[in-house]
Amino acid sequence: MRVLVTGATGYIGGRLIPRLLEGGHEVRILVRDRARVGARDWLDSVEVVEADLHDPDTLGPALEGVDAAYYLVHSMCAPGDFAALDRAAATNFAEAARHLRQVIYLGGILPAESDRHPSKHLGSRAEVGAILADAVPTTEIRAGPIIGSGSASFEMVRYLTERLPAMVAPKWILNEVQPIAVRNVLAYLAGSLGRPETVGVVDVGAEPLPFKEMMEGYAEVRGLPRVIVPLPILAPKLAALWVGLVTPIPNCMAVPLVEGMVLPVVADTSRARELFPDIEPMSYRDGVRLAVQRTEEAQVVTRWSGALGAGSTRTLEDREGLMREIRTRSVPVPADDVFRAFASLGGSTGWLVWEWAWKARGLLDQLVGGPGLRRGRRHPLDALPGEAIDFWRVERIERPNLLRLRAEMKVPGRAWLQWEAVPEEDGTTRLVQTALFAPTGFLGWLYWYSIYPVHGKIFSDLVDAVAKRAVDGVSLPPTPEDDASATPRPRTH
């Protein structure tokens, strides 16, 4: 069959595409930005179309000549009302897909009808499924927490369990949920294609267990003694904020994930067993063992943070012992101009924003024996590998695309600040600014998160200032001999 896959840069989509290709299907992927899939192993085997689910005019050509489609997108971390965004996107897609033989959609298991209403996230996922089913024959695979290397649910359990030898938790962690291994989810999705009898809702999952046992099961696999004490008072949003602090999962994802566990969420999987007798769901502990193995071997094919969206983005990652704070901006100038903007920072140019904070940090560093800001830089525009720039050292420079600075200030760990200038097909440049920190022990972890509210604001303003500087043009900074009446030096481009 000729199949369209949406969400190709996401956690499930990126893993499903190779399975479809192995099954002999022709695969077309829908992306907003072709550059986002440039390094995928399967890229040469698929057809790529650029379209936007919020722009109905782009969807007709994307769906032309297609037999079936996978709908694997959601707007949970988009700015604004994610439920309204998902509703609009699903409505646009359903209207354009009316001619298809089948749409396959991945939703979430809902609480039992006797319970209260589902969380906003689960309610939105069910609403999207209903919108699709009203327009085209739709197979809705409903799954609980997906366990696999790089999945949001696995990362949440992993970090909570690894970092907290003892914890108090809300009483509702005793509620049962129904986790499922990612390989089983992929098998259900791929196995539904071209089978009209699968149309409708299909709940899938392994044996149900309380979320508390999910953490204890992970601890058992890793050989970690852990104490978890449920308390009757701990609001879901407060618990979600704690998850966002201790784990790499951002609050925009942590809140819906946590709210989805406030009620027991257990499925009736009898239809799945009838339709897919050859799929035996992997046990939770076996799924954890496999996910841990893949993570330790650095064989993580996709990750929950893969789909970052377009335009200005920010993500905070914490994995493999290295914390990353990544910000991107689209800059309407060539890569050379963007490179000059960040390669000339420091020294007499300064750091563009929050100069008093940079100076205070430099003074504090000097007081504890570090270099501070006193070293400056050799040349206002040029930088060489290995040379000093204030309290940084140039670790890597690749003109006109990359600059990585290694911190030589006194910190409980190792830190880097990196910029990349990535040319886009439309002549613009994607500016990627990454702050990296490898903490030393608990003190390093505490240092990062205690100063992150300040760093977050500074890094945000810094990437905006670098983008603006690239557009305005980079000039030589004034020297002490220059006066106000001096003729301005020409820009370098």
Side-chain angles (χ1 to χ4, degrees):
M1 300 176 67
R2 178 173 291 176
V3 185
L4 176 75
V5 177
T6 67
T9 60
Y11 181 74
I12 294 294
R15 298 184 182 218
L16 177 64
I17 289 169
R19 284 182 175 245
L20 297 177
L21 292 171
E22 290 171 6
H25 301 289
E26 295 179 42
V27 177
R28 176 186 296 172
I29 64 172
L30 183 155
V31 294
R32 285 179 296 180
D33 181 1
R34 186 184 300 266
R36 291 288 312 283
V37 292
R40 309 285 173 152
D41 293 339
W42 37 257
L43 183 63
D44 292 339
S45 302
V46 303
E47 178 188 358
V48 182
V49 295
E50 287 187 337
D52 188 339
L53 293 173
H54 291 281
D55 183 356
D57 293 339
T58 66
L59 297 179
L63 286 159
E64 185 177 356
V66 169
D67 301 311
Y70 283 89
Y71 195 83
L72 304 173
V73 296
H74 62 79
S75 308
M76 199 155 55
C77 278
D81 184 344
F82 73 82
L85 291 171
D86 274 342
R87 186 181 308 119
T91 301
N92 292 338
F93 185 84
E95 185 61 32
R98 287 184 180 276
H99 65 284
L100 298 188
R101 292 160 51 186
Q102 184 185 25
V103 167
I104 302 173
Y105 167 63
L106 179 61
I109 298 174
L110 298 178
E113 292 182 5
S114 58
D115 289 318
R116 295 173 295 170
H117 294 296
S119 67
K120 182 179 179 180
H121 166 58
L122 290 178
S124 173
R125 300 299 289 270
E127 181 185 27
V128 168
I131 291 171
L132 297 172
D134 283 344
V136 62
T138 299
T139 300
E140 181 178 353
I141 304 293
R142 290 183 177 175
I146 296 176
I147 303 302
S149 58
S151 76
S153 296
F154 173 72
E155 292 287 276
M156 182 169 69
V157 170
R158 181 165 79 97
Y159 275 84
L160 285 173
T161 311
E162 291 274 1
R163 287 186 166 165
L164 303 174
M167 72 185 88
V168 294
K171 188 176 181 180
W172 38 262
I173 67 164
L174 300 177
N175 290 339
E176 287 192 324
V177 293
Q178 201 150 6
I180 183 170
V182 64
R183 61 172 51 195
N184 293 143
V185 173
L186 296 171
Y188 285 120
L189 290 171
S192 299
L193 184 60
R195 294 181 59 190
E197 66 272 22
T198 67
V199 168
V201 173
V202 183
D203 286 343
V204 301
E207 287 299 314
L209 74 166
F211 186 75
K212 178 174 181 285
E213 289 188 21
M214 289 179 64
M215 290 188 286
E216 291 171 339
Y218 178 89
E220 179 185 311
V221 169
R222 294 280 288 118
L224 302 171
R226 291 294 182 262
V227 177
I228 305 170
V229 181
L231 291 180
I233 50 169
L234 194 55
K237 288 192 177 180
L238 182 60
L241 291 175
W242 176 247
V243 169
L245 174 66
V246 177
T247 80
I249 307 300
N251 287 336
C252 61
M253 292 184 68
V255 171
L257 286 173
V258 169
E259 288 181 342
M261 294 183 291
V262 174
L263 298 174
V265 184
V266 177
D268 178 0
T269 59
S270 57
R271 186 163 189 248
R273 292 193 299 271
E274 293 171 3
L275 291 170
F276 304 96
D278 56 326
I279 300 178
E280 181 64 34
M282 180 181 293
S283 72
Y284 171 72
R285 280 173 171 75
D286 285 344
V288 168
R289 289 188 186 95
L290 186 59
V292 169
Q293 179 184 341
R294 293 284 188 267
T295 301
E296 291 177 344
E297 295 173 351
Q299 298 296 319
V300 182
V301 180
T302 60
R303 194 167 183 269
W304 62 267
S305 57
L308 297 180
S312 299
T313 65
R314 178 185 71 85
T315 184
L316 177 61
E317 299 182 357
D318 184 352
R319 55 190 171 96
E320 291 85 52
L322 188 63
M323 296 164 176
R324 301 169 174 86
E325 204 266 10
I326 307 167
R327 295 178 185 269
T328 70
R329 298 292 186 268
S330 178
V331 189
V333 295
D336 282 337
D337 296 348
V338 176
F339 177 82
R340 275 193 289 268
F342 57 68
S344 55
L345 293 174
S348 56
T349 297
W351 295 90
L352 304 183
V353 295
W354 294 78
E355 286 291 348
W356 67 268
W358 290 94
K359 290 177 182 178
R361 183 65 180 87
L363 178 60
L364 177 62
D365 190 56
Q366 285 182 237
L367 292 176
V368 296
L373 297 177
R374 56 190 167 184
R375 297 188 303 193
R377 59 180 296 153
R378 175 187 58 85
H379 189 278
L381 299 179
D382 185 42
L384 297 173
E387 71 175 358
I389 296 178
D390 293 339
F391 44 42
W392 305 92
R393 181 76 59 180
V394 178
E395 184 172 89
R396 184 178 175 188
I397 184 168
E398 296 177 3
R399 300 175 180 84
N401 300 115
L402 181 141
L403 173 68
R404 182 187 302 152
L405 303 179
R406 184 183 73 250
E408 295 191 334
M409 66 191 83
K410 298 292 186 179
V411 292
R414 295 174 296 150
W416 297 263
L417 192 54
Q418 174 178 289
W419 294 270
E420 297 169 84
V422 183
E424 302 283 25
E425 293 181 353
D426 60 1
T428 63
T429 300
R430 180 158 47 93
L431 168 63
V432 183
Q433 174 185 286
T434 307
L436 305 101
F437 186 65
T440 300
F442 177 76
L443 183 60
W445 175 80
L446 182 63
Y447 166 82
W448 170 268
Y449 282 105
S450 64
I451 65 172
Y452 181 73
V454 176
H455 272 184
K457 176 61 176 171
I458 292 175
F459 293 152
S460 178
D461 291 349
L462 178 58
V463 72
D464 287 337
V466 170
K468 183 178 185 301
R469 190 166 193 247
V471 173
D472 293 344
V474 178
S475 301
L476 286 171
T479 64
E481 294 78 22
D482 292 334
D483 55 40
S485 62
T487 303
R489 297 172 186 257
R491 299 197 316 179
T492 60
H493 69 287

